[in-house]
Amino acid sequence: MSAPGTTGTTGTTEPFDAVDVIVAKRDGHRLSDAQVDWVVDAYTRGVVADEQMSALAMAILLNGMGRDEVARWTAAMIATGERLDFSGLSRPTADKHSTGGVGDKITLPLAPLVAACGVAVPQLSGRGLGHTGGTLDKLESIPGWRAALSNEEMTAQLEGVGAVICQAGSGLAPADRKLYALRDVTGTVEAIPLIASSIMSKKIAEGTGALVLDVKVGTGAFMKSLEQARELARAMVDLGTDAGVRTVALLTDMSTPLGLTAGNALEVRESLEVLAGGGPADVVELTVALAREMLAAAGRPDEDPAAALADGRAMDAWRAMIGAQGGDVDAPLPVARETQTVVAEADGVLARLDAYAVGLAAWRLGAGRARKEDPVQAGAGVEWHARPGDAVRAGQPLLTLHTDTPERFGRAQEALEGAVEVVPAGTPVALTPLLLDRVAAP
Ligand code: URA
């Protein structure tokens, strides 16, 4: 065992040795508060090396963390950066975080809807990586819309308009940025304490008063089973509650993609349909369910979000929110240059449309990126014309693929092989409900 007081790479004396911290977790012990504070901070400063943090992350994946321990870890991640404070606003705040899914455009109608009901929504979002889309990429398909706002601009927009969706600055939980990149290349993304602390450190640092989590379950989600999703939801609800943020989680299905589109401008178009009082039933159901939870958590349980969608107040808030960030709400949305249609081969009932395959196809068509610096195509993506349970006829279009670069159609079609299942009429089709469970503080 090394003696404490080891000199780190910066030449300063450090209170712990990284190897001792790794060994403690490897042997199944709880890390002390001081160890947690130190290791998170020292890793961010570059004193704990990547290979040491990789070993610690793997030990956490294998041996887990206790509730207090992960709360301390989250607080230590928050302490590496700035913390926003919206307590001076004239209305309460509530935010939503989704663990990511295919066709998940819910933030777009949800933020203005909740704002229209009197609760401010400070939504710091990211760009898409892999098969799930990013909210900022979707909004950037609106001509003129700007993702980067200063903290002052954000506060002014929250007070004036009531909703802001913008890019998270690099100042929030910088430890997470470094640790997430490391987990990505060391097989440790799936550690539930690390996922929970990663998400919650950013949400708590963002300064929201209430938080509703949409934890996705199914092929198109991080969490493939309900059991895993419940464990993650419980860990995040505990972290939020312990940090003084009123936190609730809904567990929702992601074995089928949401709505009828996956792709940037395609999803904005669908969100506008919802804001206009129409849109696919599942998108409306989830938007309203999440809005009700956000309003209740923010102390406004009597507001009726369904009425605010129907009477145009949510659309007015959308126009104000997009316009405040330079977006031209009346400009036509970009459309892909080429389309290709996939038709039903036989009469019957659509039994399955696999979320992961649709997300992968949209990504291969150009809607997503492989590396974070890659550009995305605004018009690219997948549209589906039936949902599980719908009757279909031979020759009827089932999917339309959109891209500016037709050489991508082949790989997108490969992604969709086996993803669409049509069964003869009369065959029982098991439909998974959208809302699977709810996890709240006891
Ligand atoms: N999203 C995050 O922000 N962090 C994780 O660890 C997983 C998903």
Side-chain angles (χ1 to χ4, degrees):
M1 180 184 252
S2 346
T6 310
T7 301
T9 51
T10 58
T12 54
T13 301
E14 299 292 332
F16 294 99
D17 189 285
V19 177
D20 294 340
V21 179
I22 297 164
V23 166
K25 186 43 75 183
R26 181 199 68 190
D27 294 345
H29 301 296
R30 184 206 187 284
L31 301 181
S32 71
D33 289 353
Q35 282 176 317
V36 167
D37 294 351
W38 174 77
V39 80
V40 170
D41 177 63
Y43 177 59
T44 312
R45 285 185 286 122
V47 170
V48 169
D50 276 346
E51 58 272 25
Q52 294 175 312
M53 189 49 109
S54 312
L56 182 57
M58 185 58 81
I60 291 171
L61 182 139
L62 296 173
N63 291 330
M65 273 181 151
R67 178 168 174 172
D68 293 354
E69 197 179 10
V70 69
R72 189 74 185 198
W73 183 277
T74 306
M77 299 234 290
I78 295 169
T80 61
E82 65 175 328
R83 199 165 171 164
L84 305 184
D85 180 8
F86 298 118
S87 57
L89 290 180
S90 62
R91 34 181 158 179
T93 50
D95 192 9
K96 187 258 329 188
H97 178 82
S98 157
T99 56
V102 178
D104 185 1
K105 68 275 299 170
I106 301 293
T107 293
L108 275 54
L110 180 65
L113 172 59
V114 171
C117 295
V119 169
V121 184
Q123 167 81 225
L124 296 178
S125 294
R127 293 197 157 69
L129 194 61
H131 74 280
T132 62
T135 298
L136 300 181
D137 294 324
K138 294 171 197 178
L139 287 169
E140 278 176 345
S141 64
I142 300 172
W145 187 84
R146 181 165 67 93
L149 296 186
S150 67
N151 292 349
E152 293 70 33
E153 286 174 317
M154 191 179 171
T155 307
Q157 187 170 325
L158 277 175
E159 188 59 56
V161 173
V164 59
I165 303 174
C166 68
Q167 181 179 319
S170 55
L172 287 187
D176 178 62
R177 200 172 307 266
K178 203 169 166 193
L179 183 54
Y180 190 82
L182 185 75
R183 287 165 55 212
D184 208 19
V185 293
T186 56
T188 52
V189 167
E190 291 80 1
I192 286 186
L194 296 181
I195 300 177
S197 56
S198 165
I199 293 173
M200 294 304 290
S201 61
K202 290 171 285 194
K203 288 289 152 183
I204 296 166
E206 173 196 276
T208 184
L211 177 66
V212 176
L213 299 159
D214 181 4
V215 180
K216 302 286 187 198
V217 191
T219 60
F222 244 120
M223 297 287 130
K224 310 291 180 205
S225 77
L226 198 52
E227 211 171 293
Q228 280 178 315
R230 263 198 205 104
E231 191 182 337
L232 176 62
R234 171 54 57 204
M236 292 196 290
V237 168
D238 287 348
L239 283 175
T241 306
D242 291 351
V245 179
R246 289 176 303 282
T247 309
V248 174
L250 295 185
L251 270 57
T252 69
D253 178 57
M254 188 34 71
S255 52
T256 300
L258 265 175
L260 293 169
T261 58
N264 299 310
L266 289 170
E267 293 190 49
V268 173
R269 193 189 73 196
E270 190 171 290
S271 302
L272 285 167
E273 289 166 14
V274 172
L275 287 161
D282 62 330
V283 179
V284 176
E285 179 186 355
L286 187 52
T287 304
V288 171
L290 290 165
R292 283 196 211 291
E293 293 287 356
M294 288 167 76
L295 293 166
R300 301 281 170 93
D302 298 330
E303 294 289 339
D304 179 6
L309 270 185
D311 65 18
R313 277 179 290 144
M315 179 65 98
D316 291 345
W318 161 268
R319 294 178 69 84
M321 177 182 85
I322 298 300
Q325 288 172 246
D328 182 347
V329 283
D330 295 314
L333 289 165
V335 175
R337 281 197 282 275
E338 307 278 345
T339 59
Q340 198 172 75
T341 305
V342 177
V343 299
E345 285 171 7
D347 288 355
V349 175
L350 183 64
R352 193 172 60 86
L353 177 63
D354 184 74
Y356 176 72
V358 171
L360 188 59
W363 179 61
R364 288 184 177 174
L365 289 164
R369 51 171 70 78
R371 292 169 309 158
K372 59 181 186 316
E373 51 285 352
D374 290 347
V376 295
Q377 292 182 20
V382 179
E383 226 180 324
W384 47 104
H385 306 288
R387 294 191 52 82
D390 290 350
V392 298
R393 307 216 44 111
Q396 166 192 332
L398 281 183
L399 300 162
T400 305
L401 314 186
H402 298 244
T403 186
D404 292 335
T405 37
E407 61 276 17
R408 291 172 178 263
F409 282 132
R411 295 267 293 140
Q413 293 268 16
E414 278 172 29
L416 290 164
E417 269 164 31
V420 183
E421 192 186 347
V422 175
V423 296
T427 311
V429 172
L431 299 177
T432 312
L434 179 58
L435 302 179
L436 299 169
D437 205 353
R438 178 177 188 276
V439 176

